[in-house]
Amino acid sequence: MANFQRIKGFADLFSPESDVFSFLENTARNVFSRYGYEELRTPLLEHTEIFTRGIGTETDIVQKEMYTFEDKGGRMLTMRPEATAGVMRAYIESSRYAKESVSKFFTYGPMFRYERPQKGRMRQFHQLNCECLGASEPLADAEVILMLMRFLNEAGLKNLVLEVNSLGCRQCRPLYKEKLHEFLLGLDTDQLCEDCRRRMETNPLRVLDCKVPGCKALIDKAPQILEHNCPECKAHFGIVRDILDAAGLPYVLNPRLVRGLDYYNRTTFEVVSTSIGSQGSVAGGGRYDGLIADLGGPDTPGIGFACGMERLAMILADSGAWQLPESVDFFLAVLDEQALQKGMLLAQHLREAGRRGEVSFAVRSLKSQMRQASKAGAAKCLLLGGNEMAMGVVTVKDMETGEQQTAPMNAILDFV
Ligand code: HAM
């Protein structure tokens, strides 16, 4: 027989991990809707060009990580490596911009990147993603960041560090890039890693957040982007920071935070956890004012973020703060053959009335059924056999105290 295994970097999520994912989705839906976000579900597959144009041809995602293939109709398609570009495509295609000045969408689901799998880094992973479109005001940046941190707080995630930066705009950033390029040319470039030597020419900003220790040391004295923001960008970022300060939200200014996707300008941010190893970035985002126009839409500004659900789930599991939210009300143990069908109907009656629980499908020893009841975490174990049937009752055992009582079958709801 074939011995099938899941694809490397892809996971099966059994309970309780799948419960943690549902909990995160429900908490996100609750929090995001309070800020006026509506849910948008976009396809997992898009035309490849949406990502090459949106994310940028020089990024790691586009260069090395996309699951791209030609379909039977000869179209080049890609399994979404992130949600933003697809959300922009849907926004443009539906002409939502003509109907309202500001649109807010949240979406969640699987994303695909051909990365080297390790703890916290998967090839299929899940994001909770938010986009606020149509607002260029710094208040929108502040609201998005406050909402992200509110969500993480309500999900019970602690000890996270918020990092912020401003990448400037299409006017001031090219000048900064030139300065940075000049600085990099002045270094002993043989000492830079291979990626940085290439990026130096194609996308010098990415050299700033290289994690290779040798590169980090070399670029220590690089010109700082915040000092090269134009007055408008400085003023914009100043207001964002003022609001975060006034709201009492702590953050760290990180001038090296450039993000791995090319569409960002002005405010960028990341939320980092120190407790889950090297893949500590649990959320990231920023402003992307030229993206919608680059994808063929009107010149509409936007800002958003995505959280990595696997990483959030890891923190919750490690912290022990998360528990199965719902309890199990009953387990119905069937003591002999003649009680099997009645037991099934009784369980159905309880579930129709909103109780949670399971019923045995076959007669097994009382001991093994009791074990099953306690494994399921049932509050009550209901025992049904020929004797009970003859008297029209059920024996109800409290699993915590061990106490047993007899309940009339037709009043069983009062006991469970
Ligand atoms: P990103 O930084 O590429 O941004 O991803 C956001 C988050 O997704 C990361 O902080 C991380 O938690 C999670 N993540 C990324 N790759 C993996 C992986 N291979 N395995 C597990 N988790 C991963 C974006 O995707 C942007 N689209 C965010 C955004 C939305 N910016 C504006 N709007």
Side-chain angles (χ1 to χ4, degrees), residues 283-305:
R287 182 164 276 290
Y288 45 80
D289 289 344
L291 178 60
I292 295 172
D294 288 347
L295 291 174
D299 191 8
T300 309
I303 179 159
F305 65 81

Side-chain angles (χ1 to χ4, degrees), residues 113-145:
R113 295 184 192 175
Y114 194 82
E115 293 190 82
R116 199 167 42 77
Q118 64 177 88
K119 188 171 180 243
R121 188 163 69 194
M122 301 294 292
R123 290 181 173 168
Q124 175 179 306
F125 60 99
H126 298 75
Q127 284 186 342
L128 288 160
N129 184 89
C130 288
E131 313 291 355
C132 172
L133 309 178
S136 58
E137 295 83 359
L139 275 79
D141 309 37
E143 185 185 80
V144 158
I145 296 173

Side-chain angles (χ1 to χ4, degrees), residues 333-385:
V334 180
L335 306 179
D336 44 46
E337 293 287 330
Q338 68 187 108
L340 272 174
Q341 287 193 12
K342 184 69 192 166
M344 175 63 75
L345 295 176
L346 206 59
Q348 177 68 4
H349 172 61
L350 286 164
R351 290 151 172 170
E352 282 170 0
R355 309 295 194 273
R356 286 161 55 97
E358 288 190 79
V359 55
S360 193
F361 291 145
V363 178
R364 270 173 289 113
S365 74
L366 182 59
K367 200 170 150 200
S368 103
Q369 294 195 68
M370 291 300 288
R371 214 182 301 127
Q372 214 179 330
S374 90
K375 201 169 155 221
K380 302 273 165 56
C381 186
L382 313 180
L383 308 170
L384 188 67

